[in-house]
Amino acid sequence: MTATLTNQPAAATGQHQWVYLFHEGNAGMRNLLGGKGAGLAEMSNAGLPVPPGFTITTEACNSYYDNHKQFPPAMWEQAMAALKTVEQETGKKLGNAANPLLVSVRSGSRVSMPGMMDTVLNLGLNAETLHGLIKQTSNERFGYDAYRRFIQMFAKIVLGIEASKFEQILEAKKHAMNAKADTDLNSADLQDVVTQYKALVKQETGKDFPEDPLQQLRLAIEAVFESWHNKRAVDYRKFNSIPDTYGTAVSVVSMVFGNMGDDSGTGVAFTRDPNTGEKALYAEYLTNAQGEDVVAGIRTPKKIAELQRQMPEVYQQFADIAQKLELHYRDAQDLEFTVERGKLYMLQTRSAKRTGVAAVKIAVDMANEGLITQEEALQRVEPTQVYQLLLPRLDPKEVAKAHQNGQFLTKGLNASPGAASGLAVFDADSAAERGANGEKVILVRPETNPDDVHGMIGAQGVLTARGGATSHAAVVARGMGKPCVAGAEDIKVDPEQRRFTVNGVTVKDGEQITIDGTTGEVFKGKIAVIDAQFDEQSELGQLLRWADQTRKLGVWANADYPRDAERAVKFGAEGIGLCRTEHMFFEEERLPIVRQMIMSAAPATALDNKLTRSQVELDKADENKQATAQQRRDDVQAEMTASAEHKLYYDALNKLQEFQRGDFYGILKAMHGKPVVIRLLDPPLHEFLPSYDELLVEQTELRVRGKHGKRLEEVDRLLKVVEGLKEQNPMLGLRGCRLDILYPAIYEMQVRAMMQAAAQLKREGVDVRPEIMIPLVGTAKELQIVREQLIPIVEQTLKDEATKVSYKFGTMIEIPRAALVAGEIAEYAEFFSFGTNDLTQMTFGYSRDDAEGKFLLQYVERGVLPVNPFQTLDRAGVGQLVKMAVEAGRAARPGLKVGICGEHGGDPDSIEFCNAVGLDYVSCSPFRVPIARLAAAQAVLAAVERDK
């Protein structure tokens, strides 16, 4: 079968060009021709052995979808013209019974998506051309082998028939003939397989297998376009943030055959090891096979040494080409090749996918070799690849086995990367106790709250049924460098029975589980992990030193404990941008003292205020009223002295001050010579108390059982306090600076402890740079009040310590109003730190845990939002508030230091924005410091590129 074709170029007719012959393209046309098409064009133009062919553009794919799945006008005609040129170059014709041309129809987006879209090989075969192919090759077995492969692949990809049905036929034939491999079947066997395959197609579709090669080609091109939106491609794009608008190109390539005997074969190669980055040819090869056999894992390939042994000259030619391509592209290449009867053909070159380890090593090695610049090396490594190097991860081989043998349980949110195995435990106390005894445990909770922090410290990782990627569990786990899978809603956690169930499987207390915080997967049993190490002298250390020379943004860390600070310094942090003091309050030995403070805070503060008022009255009293005023003050003083609540309040504060002094001493010492921003107490007080509902249940049970002792009195008192502190929306209620304005002694205790610790270190010769951050400021007056209250405490403490310490007062900008009046607030602040977690929450009007658990992920999937705004900063809304506040703040106070300390401080896209608006630093969890160092350098380089 032949067709009447014209080879008049599109440009000559004034049509839009949808189709390019290989010699018409080049590597710079990747966006239009896809990676595969651009690579084939570049190799063809370089004179390398590439089979003739042409590429249909990504624009054609997008037009296909825009035009209700119809080819764009003139595309098919241009493809036919290009096909005629290919026929002339090969001396063969598609559909010609005597001298048939066979082609492959291959997908290829501008971004490598290996295996995500579809390819059809051996297209053009039918009953007539089969005999021509056999006559051409004098190899009947090869002809039928090519035909059965084509029917199976075409039927699966184009006709939608399950591949397993064809595999069953092939396996049955192998079993009947006592054949171990496909290659053991002879031509008669394969002819029978072809007959059965055709019968299966007729049975499944009600139609005969398509015989017209042009119809086959048209259907195959449509199928490749359709594969752009298959599930695996869509999932892959979502995971890798690849836009749906890119589309796929379609390359139509004249077939060369690796399955024509022992002098033929096919292989896949990388010019450097994609796992380690080692500078060595990394390749696999199969004799008497087609490319699909290698990439689909149908047969187990051999190392490239097999080709070197069988055909040394071909091997050397291939090795030379591989080296030339790497030098030409100045990057490690992923190559596909076929040997047909001793002749080498190159079928693909593209930038090689690689692990984080390999990405860093290849970039640094190539820079050291002079192949690329240091700036290019920085741009070659994805920040997330750096993170991979620093976290334990599961062995991929063991994960694959776990999926096969039924160990996989469920998948939740990949809230904090890394992997861990341990015994499932269902309460924080057990996790802390068993962890302290050397057992490896995973803390499993319906959700975590701050009371669980000691359990999280003792656990290897955290699994929760509820909560999002910015939930407490996720934020704290990231800060600790521990893996966390959150929001695994299929899991039903029963803390009372100490077990969870999921998909019919029950996991009890003490049973082994494994979590992968990088993927969100949960497994039963233990899966081996690969440990990560950070060495400043490694390739990663070298890359990050280059990044430090390039970036403008400082990179600080969020750290609540000295161990976190030490880790942050190891990873290159230049300061602590957020030390959350409330996490210190939640530690087990302190929590009773904190509760004692809270229980007595209201009556004690009322007495303090009463004394203050009486002192003011005394100070203002004239001579006639002096005695009366003095008596009132004395009476209040006596009332205060007699008050048990007042004594309990200040006893608790004094004890906490000792703890806090030790806390601040440790973290300031760890950051010797570097600034430490310490946020004063932020959360609502009720978070430190037992749950209202739990107390109510306990109170009821005690009364029903007639137990009217001390415990009931304590519960009654606790319940009264909790009820008094209860709020409809506590995150917008009495917390942060508002708490200080009502209960000033708490912040006073904290700054006193801070300055005592700083003074002691100063005397010991340690360079300390404390910066005091006042949270949740919404008005300049709030900051003014708190600052003026605390400065005398700081100065008096330093006077008592007979030491001078340099310090700063600043605030966290986390309320939209604060961003709008930043100029006023800057009058009382020496620094701003943007708390973008809360700023995002308040700007969008989302409760982040509820949003992520209920609708936010669907918003992203449906395109309502481009990304999760709690993971990547919303530039259009939240970002504008940040930009506005920076400009207004610096206008009011030139030299105002400005940073960001929310989760966005470790997100590369958000870091680019921070660089653009002129922030001084970003602050993130210690394990994300290396990512931020690289991302900050890349932001500078990207800005330079834009300005060119």
Side-chain angles (χ1 to χ4, degrees), residues 424-503:
V425 295
F426 294 84
D427 68 277
D429 291 340
S430 295
E433 181 180 347
R434 297 175 77 164
N437 291 334
E439 291 185 84
K440 292 187 176 182
V441 299
I442 304 293
L443 178 60
V444 183
R445 301 288 292 155
E447 74 275 330
T448 65
N449 61 60
D451 283 351
D452 294 326
V453 69
H454 61 295
M456 296 177 71
I457 291 170
Q460 300 297 305
V462 182
L463 169 63
T464 72
R466 295 191 290 272
T470 51
S471 64
H472 174 264
V475 171
V476 176
R478 279 194 289 271
M480 294 177 178
K482 293 178 186 286
C484 173
V485 175
E489 295 189 345
D490 288 344
I491 289 178
K492 307 303 178 190
V493 180
D494 187 340
E496 296 299 321
Q497 297 297 319
R498 308 182 70 78
R499 66 188 182 192
F500 72 83
T501 57
V502 55
N503 299 324

Side-chain angles (χ1 to χ4, degrees), residues 7-20:
N7 61 350
Q8 186 177 16
T13 64
Q15 297 172 339
H16 183 85
Q17 189 165 357
W18 303 106
V19 179
Y20 289 77

Side-chain angles (χ1 to χ4, degrees), residues 47-95:
L48 299 182
V50 175
F54 60 89
T55 300
I56 302 170
T57 66
T58 56
E59 289 180 344
C61 176
N62 287 329
S63 179
Y64 172 81
Y65 283 103
D66 292 342
N67 196 31
H68 307 291
K69 298 189 177 180
Q70 298 294 318
F71 289 158
M75 188 210 87
W76 180 249
E77 290 75 14
Q78 290 177 27
M80 293 299 94
L83 178 62
K84 185 168 182 63
T85 300
V86 172
E87 290 176 337
Q88 292 170 348
E89 291 176 356
T90 60
K92 303 175 183 180
K93 288 185 179 293
L94 187 72

Side-chain angles (χ1 to χ4, degrees), residues 928-944:
R928 296 193 75 86
V929 165
I931 288 182
R933 290 167 68 186
L934 177 60
Q938 291 177 338
V940 171
L941 296 173
V944 170

Side-chain angles (χ1 to χ4, degrees), residues 45-306:
N45 291 330
L48 299 182
V50 175
F54 60 89
T55 300
I56 302 170
T57 66
T58 56
E59 289 180 344
C61 176
N62 287 329
S63 179
Y64 172 81
Y65 283 103
D66 292 342
N67 196 31
H68 307 291
K69 298 189 177 180
Q70 298 294 318
F71 289 158
M75 188 210 87
W76 180 249
E77 290 75 14
Q78 290 177 27
M80 293 299 94
L83 178 62
K84 185 168 182 63
T85 300
V86 172
E87 290 176 337
Q88 292 170 348
E89 291 176 356
T90 60
K92 303 175 183 180
K93 288 185 179 293
L94 187 72
N96 186 287
N99 190 21
L101 170 69
L102 303 186
V103 297
S104 61
V105 182
R106 297 172 175 267
S107 60
S109 178
R110 68 168 76 175
V111 177
S112 178
M113 296 172 55
M116 296 301 107
M117 292 168 295
D118 292 328
T119 289
V120 178
L121 304 179
N122 304 338
L123 189 143
L125 277 172
N126 58 27
E128 295 179 14
T129 57
L130 170 63
H131 295 297
L133 182 65
I134 292 171
K135 186 176 180 181
Q136 274 182 343
T137 61
S138 303
N139 189 334
E140 186 179 53
R141 187 200 177 281
F142 159 71
Y144 278 103
D145 184 47
Y147 199 18
R148 66 95 183 170
R149 290 170 181 270
F150 170 57
I151 295 171
Q152 178 173 349
M153 188 175 288
F154 189 93
K156 172 193 170 187
I157 291 167
V158 180
L159 304 180
I161 303 173
E162 290 182 19
S164 60
K165 295 183 177 181
F166 294 94
E167 289 297 329
Q168 290 170 7
I169 291 172
L170 185 62
E171 289 301 316
K173 175 56 71 173
K174 285 161 64 177
H175 180 74
M177 305 311 296
N178 198 27
K180 292 183 179 180
D182 303 355
T183 51
D184 295 329
L185 297 175
N186 61 31
S187 60
D189 300 330
L190 293 171
Q191 185 173 359
D192 183 45
V193 169
V194 166
T195 301
Q196 292 187 61
Y197 277 8
K198 285 187 171 183
L200 176 62
V201 170
K202 182 70 177 282
Q203 176 185 322
E204 292 289 322
T205 66
K207 300 178 182 178
D208 290 327
F209 186 84
E211 290 283 297
D212 180 356
L214 288 180
Q215 183 191 12
Q216 293 173 358
L217 179 60
R218 188 179 190 105
L219 290 172
I221 293 169
E222 288 178 351
V224 173
F225 282 164
E226 290 287 336
S227 72
W228 177 247
H229 283 297
N230 70 34
K231 187 178 185 305
R232 65 181 186 275
V234 171
D235 290 346
Y236 185 89
R237 289 200 298 276
K238 284 182 180 177
F239 182 79
N240 291 282
S241 301
I242 299 170
D244 290 339
T245 54
Y246 280 3
T248 182
V250 180
S251 291
V252 178
V253 190
S254 53
M255 282 296 304
V256 289
F257 300 97
N259 57 331
M260 294 185 72
D262 291 340
D263 61 349
S264 303
T266 189
V268 175
F270 297 85
T271 56
R272 303 199 184 202
D273 190 322
N275 294 312
T276 66
E278 180 186 356
K279 188 180 180 181
L281 190 61
Y282 182 96
E284 293 181 326
Y285 178 76
L286 265 176
T287 301
N288 195 19
Q290 288 198 309
E292 189 68 13
D293 296 343
V294 177
V295 297
I298 294 170
R299 288 167 54 191
T300 303
K302 304 289 181 63
K303 293 300 181 185
I304 193 70
E306 181 76 7

